[in-house]
Amino acid sequence: MCIRDRRETNRVRRPEAPGLLGRLVRQDRTMDAYAILGFFAVMGLVGWLAAGRRQRPTISPAWRKLAKRMGGSIRPARSDDEAGRPASSALRVAVEGVEIEAKLVELERETDVALHTSVTAEAQHDYGLELFVTRRGALAALERALGSEVLVTGDDDFDAECQVVSPTPPRALLWLDGRLRRAITASTSSRFSVAEGRVEALRLGRDDDERRMVAVITAVARLARRGKEIRQAWGRLAHRLDGTVAAQTKSWPDIEIDVDGVIVAVTVQEPAAGETVPCTRVATKPLGRQRERFAVARSLPLWSAGLEPMSVSDRSAVSANPSKTSACLERIATRLAATKPDSLTYDGEMLSLTFDGIVQDEARLRAAIALVASLGSRDEQGPYR
């Protein structure tokens, strides 16, 4: 007796269609599978083409006309060239010595993806500036993200229309001079930014209006040039003071002046750790023998710990020789009142007078330079002798 495997015995066999009919059924099943695969392949191709079309918005005739009018051209966008992707088109034009690029980009928003007009340029001598300017009512999220407050420029018309946020307020306010503020308000872009050496203006939607595009391109060019203009202003100041400017890009340019043999340096110091405000420093290495250390400031430096306290009306003060320091401060009281420094110190090597923020007042700087040069000369009986 032949014993079969129980699984084989219990297996239910499906009857197969005989002959030609069976082959047709099997062929039909195969065709269904190919049809399904073909459907998904076509849908994937359509999606890919649609995505490619969204990433590569076309340049309108209005932009081509604008490029011709401003002496520019329509060329591949720089960002696409760098990434090695098929290049989209952008309007490129030079304004006031600044290379401007305008293109259409799609940016993600909270609920969708929207087309924007982007106008960009490389900042000339940005000195590490970070600056964000938006229209009123559009800055709450950005302000919270940066942890910064809206700055007040003092220009009522500008402040009523625009909001400014920056982690370095004095530098941002110095950048936004009257000419630049007027250029920003004349444009209709919703946001201007300067970060990592790049200037950008953004406006929601495709902007084909020639007048508006000229206005925003002009504003971006002036914002990109502003750092260079500031450096040139320092250069003119150095020339008037018979000094020289060191060529620097990522830090502020230094001015050096020789005052009767005393070399005085005027520099902008970056904010210390935990601070956001830079300071303007006028300093020299005093001539003659070693002097005694002292510090008169709102916030005393760490190196002054251990010096004897002094009585000064609106400042904290310490000195290695309080009586001599007090006598000297009395002699130069009128000059100190004219310059209004935030600190006057000698750390054993450098005599420094500092101001909070970035000072461009020529008269104030001249007075500070003269005072520091006088205290650093061989003939001056300073508070450290």
Side-chain angles (χ1 to χ4, degrees), residues 246-309:
Q248 301 178 35
T249 53
K250 287 301 180 184
S251 60
W252 285 84
D254 299 343
I255 299 176
E256 288 190 351
I257 305 103
D258 185 336
V259 182
D260 298 328
V262 180
I263 304 301
V264 179
V266 181
T267 62
V268 174
Q269 304 285 304
E270 293 297 323
E275 299 180 358
T276 60
V277 180
C279 70
T280 303
R281 181 174 181 248
V282 181
T284 189
K285 187 173 183 178
L287 303 177
R289 63 184 181 85
Q290 182 69 29
R291 327 292 178 90
E292 295 174 347
R293 297 184 303 161
F294 75 97
V296 181
R298 288 193 175 92
S299 178
L300 292 174
L302 294 177
W303 57 259
S304 66
L307 299 182
E308 296 182 42

Side-chain angles (χ1 to χ4, degrees), residues 262 287-288 291 331 373-382 385:
V262 180
L287 303 177
R291 327 292 178 90
R331 289 197 303 272
S374 174
L375 292 174
S377 69
R378 295 180 185 274
D379 300 331
E380 175 64 34
Q381 292 187 354
R385 288 190 174 184

Side-chain angles (χ1 to χ4, degrees), residues 75-380:
R75 288 189 279 175
R78 280 189 290 262
S79 58
D80 293 336
D81 295 342
E82 295 166 0
R85 298 189 301 268
S88 62
S89 297
L91 185 159
R92 294 193 190 180
V93 63
V95 178
E96 299 180 8
V98 179
E99 293 292 330
I100 304 291
E101 178 179 274
K103 63 181 180 179
L104 299 171
V105 297
E106 286 195 331
L107 301 178
E108 291 186 3
R109 302 192 298 179
E110 292 183 359
T111 58
D112 59 2
V113 176
L115 188 70
H116 289 72
T117 300
S118 169
V119 181
T120 61
E122 296 298 317
Q124 300 176 349
H125 301 288
D126 69 298
Y127 305 116
L129 173 71
E130 288 187 30
L131 172 68
F132 302 90
V133 182
T134 72
R135 299 293 169 177
R136 278 284 171 186
L139 195 59
L142 179 61
E143 180 184 344
R144 289 194 299 270
L146 294 175
S148 303
E149 294 182 358
V150 175
L151 305 181
V152 177
T153 67
D155 181 334
D156 293 340
D157 293 336
F158 180 83
D159 291 337
E161 187 170 346
C162 299
Q163 299 174 116
V164 181
V165 164
S166 173
T168 54
R171 187 175 305 177
L173 295 176
L174 175 62
W175 237 259
L176 292 169
D177 67 341
R179 184 168 177 258
L180 180 54
R181 292 195 302 270
R182 288 191 294 273
I184 290 175
T185 53
S187 75
T188 56
S189 289
S190 58
R191 189 187 78 185
F192 286 84
S193 64
V194 182
E196 298 181 352
R198 183 172 181 266
V199 178
E200 181 177 32
L202 276 178
R203 173 184 168 83
L204 179 63
R206 179 196 293 267
D207 194 344
D208 287 336
D209 185 277
E210 183 175 319
R211 179 184 58 80
R212 289 198 302 260
M213 285 297 294
V214 170
V216 70
I217 288 172
T218 300
V220 167
R222 290 180 181 174
L223 187 53
R225 275 183 51 85
R226 182 60 181 141
K228 184 177 181 179
E229 292 174 352
I230 292 172
R231 187 186 183 282
Q232 290 173 339
W234 276 68
R236 291 191 294 270
L237 174 61
H239 179 73
R240 292 193 296 271
L241 297 173
D242 296 323
T244 58
V245 173
Q248 301 178 35
T249 53
K250 287 301 180 184
S251 60
W252 285 84
D254 299 343
I255 299 176
E256 288 190 351
I257 305 103
D258 185 336
V259 182
D260 298 328
V262 180
I263 304 301
V264 179
V266 181
T267 62
V268 174
Q269 304 285 304
E270 293 297 323
E275 299 180 358
T276 60
V277 180
C279 70
T280 303
R281 181 174 181 248
V282 181
T284 189
K285 187 173 183 178
L287 303 177
R289 63 184 181 85
Q290 182 69 29
R291 327 292 178 90
E292 295 174 347
R293 297 184 303 161
F294 75 97
V296 181
R298 288 193 175 92
S299 178
L300 292 174
L302 294 177
W303 57 259
S304 66
L307 299 182
E308 296 182 42
M310 296 172 47
S311 176
V312 176
S313 60
D314 61 342
R315 298 286 191 279
S316 298
V318 292
S319 173
N321 193 325
S323 61
K324 288 187 176 181
T325 300
S326 296
C328 180
L329 291 177
E330 289 179 6
R331 289 197 303 272
I332 63 173
T334 302
R335 301 173 74 178
L336 284 175
T339 56
K340 298 179 181 178
D342 290 283
S343 71
L344 177 64
T345 63
Y346 176 66
D347 61 5
E349 181 179 3
M350 297 296 294
L351 174 70
S352 302
L353 184 151
T354 63
F355 305 93
D356 287 346
I358 302 166
V359 178
Q360 287 194 302
D361 185 321
E362 182 177 339
R364 194 179 185 191
L365 285 176
R366 281 184 177 276
I369 291 167
L371 176 57
V372 168
S374 174
L375 292 174
S377 69
R378 295 180 185 274
D379 300 331
E380 175 64 34

